Amino acid sequence: MIKPDAVRAGNIGNILQMINAAGFRIVAMKLTHMTKERAGQFYEVHKERPFYGELCDFMSSGPIVAAILEKNNAVEDFRKLIGATNPANAEPGTIRKLYATSVGENAVHGSDSDENAAIEGAFHFSGMELY
Ligand code: DAT
Ligand code: MG
């Protein structure tokens, strides 16, 4: 996902260009706006964390770009491309280093395993929206 902060800042194009240049194929993509309830469902795994409420408010604060990306070693390579959760710790040249403003408003989401990528893909897209 390209998160609401990056969409608001006009960075959809810049981020997609980096994703493209890194060799990912776009299988599905849409601009969508999650309700607070949908954001809460997406981040259910974090519901006991102190930042959960803030995270759900932020993720439902505006439209996002949801996408399914394909590549060999996609999960690991995408996490390398986006950089550390906290942009202060992200490597130079990563999407979060360039476009995130804080640990909470960090521009992009990337799945953390193939299994979660499948779950998160199905959260946003039906089978008919995959190409
Ligand atoms: P990532 O998005 O790098 O997978 P995560 O799964 O640990 O990171 O957390 C999910 C999101 O929750 C993260 O992108 C931003 C928010 N978050 C994580 N840690 C936070 C913190 N300490 N304070 C505020 N928001 C936080
Ligand atoms: Mg995560």
Side-chain angles (χ1 to χ4, degrees):
M1 295 186 286
I2 301 177
K3 296 186 179 184
D5 59 328
V7 173
R8 268 194 289 276
N11 288 324
I12 294 174
N14 294 330
I15 291 170
L16 289 179
Q17 189 163 27
M18 289 177 73
I19 289 170
N20 199 29
F24 292 87
R25 188 178 83 79
I26 295 169
V27 174
M29 185 160 69
K30 71 170 93 170
L31 191 66
T32 183
H33 192 154
M34 290 193 284
T35 61
K36 191 171 174 182
E37 290 65 36
R38 287 269 296 163
Q41 241 180 300
F42 187 91
Y43 282 109
E44 184 113 50
V45 60
H46 294 305
K47 71 168 177 290
E48 305 304 334
R49 307 269 207 110
F51 56 80
Y52 180 66
E54 186 190 322
L55 175 61
C56 298
D57 283 337
F58 166 60
M59 287 304 293
S60 59
S61 69
I64 61 155
V65 174
I68 297 177
L69 305 174
E70 186 177 83
K71 184 182 184 298
N72 287 333
N73 205 36
V75 165
E76 194 184 331
D77 286 0
F78 192 69
R79 299 217 49 120
K80 253 184 226 151
L81 177 67
I82 72 179
T85 306
N86 186 341
N89 303 326
E91 293 293 320
T94 59
I95 294 175
R96 281 170 166 167
K97 185 54 125 194
L98 289 165
Y99 301 118
T101 50
S102 67
V103 64
E105 306 209 355
N106 61 7
V108 281
H109 168 80
S111 302
D112 62 8
S113 66
D114 287 354
E115 187 193 2
N116 284 334
I119 293 168
E120 293 173 355
F123 182 91
H124 284 300
F125 298 98
S126 77
M128 288 185 63
E129 295 175 296
L130 313 188
Y131 297 96

